[in-house]
CSV table of all heavy atoms in Angstrom, one decimal:
chain,number,residue,atom,x,y,z
A,1,SER,N,-80.9,-24.0,-40.6
A,1,SER,CA,-82.2,-23.4,-40.9
A,1,SER,C,-82.2,-22.6,-42.2
A,1,SER,O,-81.1,-22.0,-42.5
A,1,SER,CB,-82.8,-22.7,-39.7
A,1,SER,OG,-82.0,-21.5,-39.4
A,2,GLY,N,-83.3,-22.4,-42.8
A,2,GLY,CA,-83.4,-21.5,-43.9
A,2,GLY,C,-83.1,-22.1,-45.3
A,2,GLY,O,-83.1,-21.4,-46.3
A,3,PHE,N,-83.0,-23.4,-45.4
A,3,PHE,CA,-82.8,-24.1,-46.6
A,3,PHE,C,-83.2,-25.6,-46.5
A,3,PHE,O,-83.5,-26.0,-45.4
A,3,PHE,CB,-81.3,-24.0,-47.1
A,3,PHE,CG,-80.3,-24.7,-46.2
A,3,PHE,CD1,-79.8,-25.9,-46.5
A,3,PHE,CD2,-79.8,-24.0,-45.1
A,3,PHE,CE1,-78.9,-26.5,-45.6
A,3,PHE,CE2,-78.9,-24.6,-44.2
A,3,PHE,CZ,-78.4,-25.9,-44.5
A,4,THR,N,-83.2,-26.3,-47.6
A,4,THR,CA,-83.7,-27.7,-47.6
A,4,THR,C,-82.5,-28.5,-47.2
A,4,THR,O,-81.7,-29.0,-48.0
A,4,THR,CB,-84.2,-28.1,-49.0
A,4,THR,OG1,-85.2,-27.2,-49.4
A,4,THR,CG2,-84.8,-29.5,-48.9
A,5,PHE,N,-82.4,-28.8,-45.9
A,5,PHE,CA,-81.3,-29.4,-45.3
A,5,PHE,C,-81.0,-30.8,-45.9
A,5,PHE,O,-79.8,-31.1,-46.2
A,5,PHE,CB,-81.5,-29.6,-43.8
A,5,PHE,CG,-80.4,-30.3,-43.0
A,5,PHE,CD1,-79.3,-29.7,-42.7
A,5,PHE,CD2,-80.6,-31.7,-42.7
A,5,PHE,CE1,-78.3,-30.4,-42.0
A,5,PHE,CE2,-79.6,-32.3,-42.0
A,5,PHE,CZ,-78.4,-31.7,-41.7
A,6,SER,N,-82.0,-31.6,-46.2
A,6,SER,CA,-81.8,-32.9,-46.7
A,6,SER,C,-81.2,-33.0,-48.1
A,6,SER,O,-80.7,-34.0,-48.4
A,6,SER,CB,-83.2,-33.7,-46.8
A,6,SER,OG,-84.1,-33.0,-47.7
A,7,ARG,N,-81.1,-31.9,-48.8
A,7,ARG,CA,-80.5,-31.9,-50.1
A,7,ARG,C,-79.0,-31.6,-50.1
A,7,ARG,O,-78.3,-31.8,-51.1
A,7,ARG,CB,-81.2,-30.8,-51.0
A,7,ARG,CG,-82.6,-31.0,-51.3
A,7,ARG,CD,-83.2,-30.0,-52.2
A,7,ARG,NE,-82.5,-30.0,-53.5
A,7,ARG,CZ,-82.6,-29.0,-54.4
A,7,ARG,NH1,-83.3,-27.9,-54.1
A,7,ARG,NH2,-82.0,-29.1,-55.6
A,8,TYR,N,-78.5,-31.2,-48.9
A,8,TYR,CA,-77.1,-30.7,-48.8
A,8,TYR,C,-76.2,-31.8,-48.2
A,8,TYR,O,-76.6,-32.4,-47.2
A,8,TYR,CB,-77.0,-29.5,-47.9
A,8,TYR,CG,-77.5,-28.2,-48.6
A,8,TYR,CD1,-78.8,-28.0,-48.9
A,8,TYR,CD2,-76.5,-27.3,-48.9
A,8,TYR,CE1,-79.2,-26.8,-49.6
A,8,TYR,CE2,-76.9,-26.1,-49.6
A,8,TYR,CZ,-78.2,-25.9,-49.9
A,8,TYR,OH,-78.6,-24.7,-50.5
A,9,ALA,N,-75.1,-32.0,-48.8
A,9,ALA,CA,-74.0,-32.7,-48.1
A,9,ALA,C,-73.5,-31.8,-46.9
A,9,ALA,O,-73.4,-30.6,-47.0
A,9,ALA,CB,-72.9,-33.0,-49.1
A,10,MET,N,-73.2,-32.5,-45.8
A,10,MET,CA,-72.7,-31.8,-44.6
A,10,MET,C,-71.3,-32.3,-44.3
A,10,MET,O,-71.0,-33.4,-44.4
A,10,MET,CB,-73.6,-32.0,-43.5
A,10,MET,CG,-75.1,-31.5,-43.7
A,10,MET,SD,-75.2,-29.8,-44.0
A,10,MET,CE,-74.6,-29.1,-42.5
A,11,SER,N,-70.5,-31.3,-43.8
A,11,SER,CA,-69.1,-31.6,-43.5
A,11,SER,C,-68.7,-30.9,-42.2
A,11,SER,O,-69.3,-29.9,-41.8
A,11,SER,CB,-68.1,-31.2,-44.6
A,11,SER,OG,-68.4,-31.8,-45.8
A,12,TRP,N,-67.7,-31.4,-41.6
A,12,TRP,CA,-67.0,-30.8,-40.5
A,12,TRP,C,-65.5,-30.5,-40.9
A,12,TRP,O,-64.9,-31.4,-41.4
A,12,TRP,CB,-67.0,-31.6,-39.2
A,12,TRP,CG,-68.3,-31.7,-38.5
A,12,TRP,CD1,-69.2,-32.7,-38.7
A,12,TRP,CD2,-68.8,-30.8,-37.6
A,12,TRP,NE1,-70.3,-32.4,-37.9
A,12,TRP,CE2,-70.1,-31.2,-37.2
A,12,TRP,CE3,-68.4,-29.6,-37.0
A,12,TRP,CZ2,-70.9,-30.6,-36.3
A,12,TRP,CZ3,-69.2,-28.9,-36.1
A,12,TRP,CH2,-70.4,-29.4,-35.8
A,13,TYR,N,-65.1,-29.3,-40.6
A,13,TYR,CA,-63.7,-28.9,-40.8
A,13,TYR,C,-63.2,-28.4,-39.5
A,13,TYR,O,-63.9,-28.1,-38.6
A,13,TYR,CB,-63.6,-27.7,-41.9
A,13,TYR,CG,-63.8,-28.1,-43.3
A,13,TYR,CD1,-65.1,-28.5,-43.8
A,13,TYR,CD2,-62.8,-28.1,-44.2
A,13,TYR,CE1,-65.3,-28.9,-45.1
A,13,TYR,CE2,-62.9,-28.5,-45.5
A,13,TYR,CZ,-64.2,-28.9,-46.0
A,13,TYR,OH,-64.4,-29.2,-47.3
A,14,ARG,N,-61.8,-28.3,-39.4
A,14,ARG,CA,-61.2,-27.7,-38.3
A,14,ARG,C,-60.0,-26.9,-38.7
A,14,ARG,O,-59.4,-27.1,-39.7
A,14,ARG,CB,-60.8,-28.8,-37.3
A,14,ARG,CG,-59.7,-29.7,-37.7
A,14,ARG,CD,-59.5,-30.8,-36.7
A,14,ARG,NE,-58.4,-31.7,-37.1
A,14,ARG,CZ,-58.2,-32.9,-36.4
A,14,ARG,NH1,-58.9,-33.2,-35.3
A,14,ARG,NH2,-57.1,-33.6,-36.8
A,15,GLN,N,-59.7,-25.9,-37.8
A,15,GLN,CA,-58.6,-25.0,-38.0
A,15,GLN,C,-57.9,-24.6,-36.7
A,15,GLN,O,-58.5,-24.1,-35.8
A,15,GLN,CB,-59.1,-23.7,-38.8
A,15,GLN,CG,-57.9,-22.8,-39.2
A,15,GLN,CD,-58.4,-21.7,-40.1
A,15,GLN,OE1,-59.6,-21.3,-40.1
A,15,GLN,NE2,-57.5,-21.2,-41.0
A,16,ALA,N,-56.6,-25.0,-36.6
A,16,ALA,CA,-55.8,-24.6,-35.5
A,16,ALA,C,-55.2,-23.2,-35.7
A,16,ALA,O,-55.0,-22.8,-36.9
A,16,ALA,CB,-54.8,-25.6,-35.2
A,17,PRO,N,-54.8,-22.5,-34.7
A,17,PRO,CA,-54.2,-21.2,-34.9
A,17,PRO,C,-52.9,-21.2,-35.8
A,17,PRO,O,-52.1,-22.1,-35.6
A,17,PRO,CB,-53.8,-20.8,-33.5
A,17,PRO,CG,-54.7,-21.5,-32.6
A,17,PRO,CD,-55.0,-22.8,-33.3
A,18,GLY,N,-52.9,-20.4,-36.8
A,18,GLY,CA,-51.8,-20.3,-37.7
A,18,GLY,C,-51.8,-21.4,-38.8
A,18,GLY,O,-50.8,-21.5,-39.6
A,19,LYS,N,-52.8,-22.3,-38.8
A,19,LYS,CA,-52.9,-23.4,-39.7
A,19,LYS,C,-54.0,-23.2,-40.7
A,19,LYS,O,-54.9,-22.5,-40.5
A,19,LYS,CB,-53.0,-24.7,-39.0
A,19,LYS,CG,-52.0,-25.0,-37.9
A,19,LYS,CD,-50.6,-25.1,-38.6
A,19,LYS,CE,-49.5,-25.5,-37.5
A,19,LYS,NZ,-48.2,-25.6,-38.1
A,20,GLU,N,-54.0,-23.9,-41.8
A,20,GLU,CA,-55.0,-23.9,-42.8
A,20,GLU,C,-56.2,-24.8,-42.3
A,20,GLU,O,-56.0,-25.7,-41.6
A,20,GLU,CB,-54.5,-24.4,-44.1
A,20,GLU,CG,-53.5,-23.6,-44.8
A,20,GLU,CD,-53.0,-24.1,-46.1
A,20,GLU,OE1,-53.4,-25.2,-46.5
A,20,GLU,OE2,-52.2,-23.4,-46.8
A,21,ARG,N,-57.4,-24.4,-42.7
A,21,ARG,CA,-58.6,-25.1,-42.4
A,21,ARG,C,-58.6,-26.4,-43.2
A,21,ARG,O,-58.3,-26.5,-44.4
A,21,ARG,CB,-59.9,-24.3,-42.8
A,21,ARG,CG,-61.2,-24.9,-42.3
A,21,ARG,CD,-62.3,-24.0,-42.6
A,21,ARG,NE,-62.2,-22.7,-41.8
A,21,ARG,CZ,-63.1,-21.8,-41.8
A,21,ARG,NH1,-64.2,-21.9,-42.4
A,21,ARG,NH2,-62.9,-20.7,-41.1
A,22,GLY,N,-58.9,-27.6,-42.5
A,22,GLY,CA,-58.8,-28.9,-43.1
A,22,GLY,C,-60.1,-29.7,-42.9
A,22,GLY,O,-60.7,-29.5,-41.9
A,23,LEU,N,-60.4,-30.6,-43.8
A,23,LEU,CA,-61.6,-31.4,-43.8
A,23,LEU,C,-61.4,-32.5,-42.7
A,23,LEU,O,-60.4,-33.2,-42.7
A,23,LEU,CB,-61.8,-32.0,-45.1
A,23,LEU,CG,-63.0,-33.0,-45.2
A,23,LEU,CD1,-64.3,-32.3,-45.0
A,23,LEU,CD2,-63.0,-33.7,-46.6
A,24,VAL,N,-62.4,-32.7,-41.9
A,24,VAL,CA,-62.5,-33.7,-40.9
A,24,VAL,C,-63.3,-34.9,-41.3
A,24,VAL,O,-62.9,-36.0,-41.2
A,24,VAL,CB,-62.9,-33.1,-39.5
A,24,VAL,CG1,-63.1,-34.3,-38.5
A,24,VAL,CG2,-62.0,-32.1,-39.0
A,25,ALA,N,-64.6,-34.6,-41.7
A,25,ALA,CA,-65.5,-35.6,-42.1
A,25,ALA,C,-66.6,-35.1,-43.0
A,25,ALA,O,-67.0,-33.9,-42.9
A,25,ALA,CB,-66.1,-36.3,-40.8
A,26,THR,N,-67.2,-35.9,-43.8
A,26,THR,CA,-68.3,-35.5,-44.7
A,26,THR,C,-69.4,-36.6,-44.7
A,26,THR,O,-69.1,-37.8,-44.6
A,26,THR,CB,-67.8,-35.3,-46.1
A,26,THR,OG1,-66.9,-34.2,-46.1
A,26,THR,CG2,-69.0,-35.0,-47.1
A,27,ILE,N,-70.6,-36.2,-44.8
A,27,ILE,CA,-71.7,-37.2,-45.0
A,27,ILE,C,-72.6,-36.7,-46.1
A,27,ILE,O,-73.0,-35.5,-46.2
A,27,ILE,CB,-72.6,-37.4,-43.7
A,27,ILE,CG1,-73.6,-38.4,-43.9
A,27,ILE,CG2,-73.2,-36.0,-43.2
A,27,ILE,CD1,-74.2,-38.9,-42.5
A,28,THR,N,-73.0,-37.5,-47.1
A,28,THR,CA,-73.7,-37.1,-48.2
A,28,THR,C,-75.2,-36.9,-47.9
A,28,THR,O,-75.7,-37.4,-46.9
A,28,THR,CB,-73.6,-38.2,-49.4
A,28,THR,OG1,-74.2,-39.4,-49.0
A,28,THR,CG2,-72.1,-38.4,-49.7
A,29,SER,N,-75.9,-36.3,-48.9
A,29,SER,CA,-77.3,-36.0,-48.7
A,29,SER,C,-78.2,-37.1,-49.1
A,29,SER,O,-79.4,-37.2,-48.7
A,29,SER,CB,-77.7,-34.7,-49.5
A,29,SER,OG,-77.5,-34.9,-50.9
A,30,THR,N,-77.7,-38.0,-50.0
A,30,THR,CA,-78.5,-39.1,-50.6
A,30,THR,C,-78.3,-40.4,-49.8
A,30,THR,O,-79.2,-40.9,-49.1
A,30,THR,CB,-78.2,-39.3,-52.0
A,30,THR,OG1,-76.8,-39.4,-52.2
A,30,THR,CG2,-78.6,-38.0,-52.8
A,31,SER,N,-77.2,-41.1,-50.0
A,31,SER,CA,-77.0,-42.4,-49.4
A,31,SER,C,-76.5,-42.3,-48.0
A,31,SER,O,-76.5,-43.3,-47.3
A,31,SER,CB,-75.9,-43.1,-50.2
A,31,SER,OG,-74.7,-42.5,-50.2
A,32,GLY,N,-76.1,-41.2,-47.5
A,32,GLY,CA,-75.5,-41.0,-46.1
A,32,GLY,C,-74.1,-41.6,-46.0
A,32,GLY,O,-73.7,-41.9,-44.9
A,33,THR,N,-73.5,-41.7,-47.2
A,33,THR,CA,-72.1,-42.2,-47.2
A,33,THR,C,-71.2,-41.2,-46.4
A,33,THR,O,-71.3,-40.0,-46.6
A,33,THR,CB,-71.6,-42.4,-48.6
A,33,THR,OG1,-72.4,-43.3,-49.3
A,33,THR,CG2,-70.1,-42.9,-48.6
A,34,THR,N,-70.3,-41.7,-45.6
A,34,THR,CA,-69.4,-40.9,-44.8
A,34,THR,C,-68.0,-41.1,-45.2
A,34,THR,O,-67.5,-42.2,-45.7
A,34,THR,CB,-69.5,-41.3,-43.3
A,34,THR,OG1,-69.2,-42.7,-43.1
A,34,THR,CG2,-70.9,-41.0,-42.8
A,35,THR,N,-67.2,-40.0,-45.1
A,35,THR,CA,-65.7,-40.0,-45.3
A,35,THR,C,-65.1,-39.3,-44.2
A,35,THR,O,-65.6,-38.4,-43.6
A,35,THR,CB,-65.4,-39.4,-46.7
A,35,THR,OG1,-65.8,-38.0,-46.7
A,35,THR,CG2,-66.0,-40.2,-47.8
A,36,TYR,N,-63.8,-39.7,-43.9
A,36,TYR,CA,-63.1,-39.2,-42.8
A,36,TYR,C,-61.6,-38.9,-43.2
A,36,TYR,O,-61.0,-39.6,-44.0
A,36,TYR,CB,-63.1,-40.1,-41.6
A,36,TYR,CG,-64.4,-40.4,-41.1
A,36,TYR,CD1,-65.2,-41.5,-41.5
A,36,TYR,CD2,-65.0,-39.6,-40.1
A,36,TYR,CE1,-66.4,-41.8,-41.0
A,36,TYR,CE2,-66.3,-39.9,-39.6
A,36,TYR,CZ,-67.0,-41.0,-40.1
A,36,TYR,OH,-68.2,-41.2,-39.6
A,37,ALA,N,-61.1,-37.9,-42.5
A,37,ALA,CA,-59.6,-37.7,-42.6
A,37,ALA,C,-58.9,-38.8,-41.9
A,37,ALA,O,-59.4,-39.4,-41.0
A,37,ALA,CB,-59.2,-36.4,-42.0
A,38,VAL,N,-57.8,-39.2,-42.5
A,38,VAL,CA,-57.0,-40.3,-41.9
A,38,VAL,C,-56.7,-40.1,-40.4
A,38,VAL,O,-56.8,-41.0,-39.6
A,38,VAL,CB,-55.7,-40.5,-42.7
A,38,VAL,CG1,-54.8,-41.5,-42.0
A,38,VAL,CG2,-56.0,-41.0,-44.1
A,39,SER,N,-56.5,-38.8,-40.0
A,39,SER,CA,-56.1,-38.5,-38.7
A,39,SER,C,-57.2,-38.8,-37.6
A,39,SER,O,-56.9,-38.9,-36.5
A,39,SER,CB,-55.7,-37.1,-38.6
A,39,SER,OG,-56.7,-36.2,-39.0
A,40,VAL,N,-58.5,-38.9,-38.1
A,40,VAL,CA,-59.6,-39.1,-37.2
A,40,VAL,C,-60.4,-40.4,-37.4
A,40,VAL,O,-61.2,-40.7,-36.6
A,40,VAL,CB,-60.6,-37.9,-37.2
A,40,VAL,CG1,-59.9,-36.6,-37.0
A,40,VAL,CG2,-61.4,-37.9,-38.5
A,41,LYS,N,-60.1,-41.1,-38.5
A,41,LYS,CA,-60.8,-42.3,-38.8
A,41,LYS,C,-60.7,-43.3,-37.7
A,41,LYS,O,-59.6,-43.6,-37.1
A,41,LYS,CB,-60.2,-42.9,-40.1
A,41,LYS,CG,-61.1,-44.0,-40.6
A,41,LYS,CD,-60.6,-44.5,-42.0
A,41,LYS,CE,-61.4,-45.6,-42.6
A,41,LYS,NZ,-62.8,-45.3,-42.8
A,42,GLY,N,-61.8,-43.9,-37.3
A,42,GLY,CA,-61.9,-44.8,-36.2
A,42,GLY,C,-62.1,-44.2,-34.8
A,42,GLY,O,-62.4,-44.9,-33.9
A,43,ARG,N,-62.0,-42.8,-34.7
A,43,ARG,CA,-62.2,-42.1,-33.5
A,43,ARG,C,-63.4,-41.2,-33.6
A,43,ARG,O,-64.1,-41.0,-32.6
A,43,ARG,CB,-61.0,-41.3,-33.1
A,43,ARG,CG,-59.7,-42.1,-32.9
A,43,ARG,CD,-58.6,-41.2,-32.3
A,43,ARG,NE,-58.2,-40.2,-33.3
A,43,ARG,CZ,-58.3,-38.9,-33.0
A,43,ARG,NH1,-58.7,-38.4,-31.8
A,43,ARG,NH2,-57.9,-38.0,-33.9
A,44,PHE,N,-63.7,-40.6,-34.7
A,44,PHE,CA,-64.8,-39.7,-34.9
A,44,PHE,C,-65.9,-40.3,-35.8
A,44,PHE,O,-65.6,-41.1,-36.6
A,44,PHE,CB,-64.3,-38.4,-35.6
A,44,PHE,CG,-63.4,-37.5,-34.9
A,44,PHE,CD1,-62.8,-37.9,-33.7
A,44,PHE,CD2,-63.1,-36.2,-35.3
A,44,PHE,CE1,-62.0,-37.1,-33.0
A,44,PHE,CE2,-62.2,-35.4,-34.7
A,44,PHE,CZ,-61.7,-35.8,-33.5
A,45,THR,N,-67.1,-39.9,-35.5
A,45,THR,CA,-68.3,-40.4,-36.3
A,45,THR,C,-69.2,-39.2,-36.6
A,45,THR,O,-69.6,-38.5,-35.8
A,45,THR,CB,-69.1,-41.4,-35.5
A,45,THR,OG1,-68.2,-42.5,-35.2
A,45,THR,CG2,-70.2,-41.9,-36.4
């Protein structure tokens, strides 16, 4: 809320204790193209 959501690319990241935050998945604002980390591809959407 509070911004024009449709203009923004959206992503999910995750971080385990003592580890760096890493990218899980991304979806673009225009075409809806998705990308996934190798570790979750085929399991996450």
Side-chain angles (χ1 to χ4, degrees):
S1 62
F3 63 99
T4 306
F5 177 81
S6 62
R7 296 182 63 195
Y8 282 72
M10 300 298 299
S11 300
W12 288 96
Y13 286 70
R14 66 186 182 186
Q15 187 169 26
K19 304 297 183 180
E20 296 180 352
R21 188 174 299 185
L23 178 65
V24 175
T26 297
I27 184 166
T28 66
S29 63
T30 53
S31 66
T33 300
T34 59
T35 59
Y36 299 91
V38 171
S39 59
V40 307
K41 190 173 179 64
R43 300 187 298 120
F44 291 11
T45 303

